[in-house]
Amino acid sequence: TADLANPRPTLFRRVMYATGAFDPPVALVEGVESFQVLYGVDNGTPADGAADSYVTANNVVNFAQVVSVQIGIMVYGVNATGSANDTEIDSGTQVVAGTNIQSPGDRRSRRVFNTTIQLRNRSF
């Protein structure tokens, strides 16, 4: 049963149409605590197709210069691990696509996945 007072973090998708209308959100994956995206910008002269820096969307000056994306996701198991007497509490820092996230120490097993994707067929 769902705990409405403490809902589990969940990754949703939502479709936006050219008219500005939205479909209702649809839950994709439960247990997603963080989803980060960085944009690889080729702002060198001349442009060589390689990212010179990775920045958040609000720091991209010209999206035509974006040549890759870094995606990071942190997920946790939907069941707590260990026992109330367990002294092994994860209190470390996780790095999700360049963002440091401090684990809350709640005895959940977390896993981070990071990847970089080169955008193909870009014209310069």
Side-chain angles (χ1 to χ4, degrees):
T1 64
D3 181 358
L4 298 179
N6 298 304
R8 291 181 178 144
T10 303
L11 177 66
F12 286 83
R13 78 159 169 89
R14 191 160 191 196
V15 176
M16 181 177 129
Y17 296 97
T19 62
F22 288 95
D23 278 348
V26 176
L28 297 177
V29 181
E30 213 175 50
V32 175
E33 283 190 308
S34 181
F35 184 90
Q36 304 290 325
V37 179
L38 294 175
Y39 297 87
V41 178
D42 178 11
N43 52 9
T45 305
D48 60 3
D52 297 306
S53 61
Y54 283 89
V55 297
T56 58
N58 59 333
N59 289 312
V60 175
V61 176
N62 181 357
F63 274 93
Q65 294 177 320
V66 173
V67 295
S68 60
V69 292
Q70 284 185 350
I71 298 173
I73 187 169
M74 183 168 72
V75 296
Y76 73 74
V78 294
N79 297 314
T81 59
S83 68
N85 297 324
D86 192 351
T87 59
E88 296 295 322
I89 296 176
D90 178 16
S91 60
T93 300
Q94 304 288 338
V95 180
V96 183
T99 300
N100 293 331
I101 299 175
Q102 182 67 37
S103 296
D106 58 3
R107 293 183 175 85
R108 294 195 182 272
S109 295
R110 288 173 171 76
R111 188 84 190 260
V112 175
F113 301 91
N114 290 301
T115 191
T116 301
I117 302 165
Q118 185 74 29
L119 301 178
R120 296 178 60 175
N121 300 325
R122 303 281 303 172
S123 58
F124 296 98

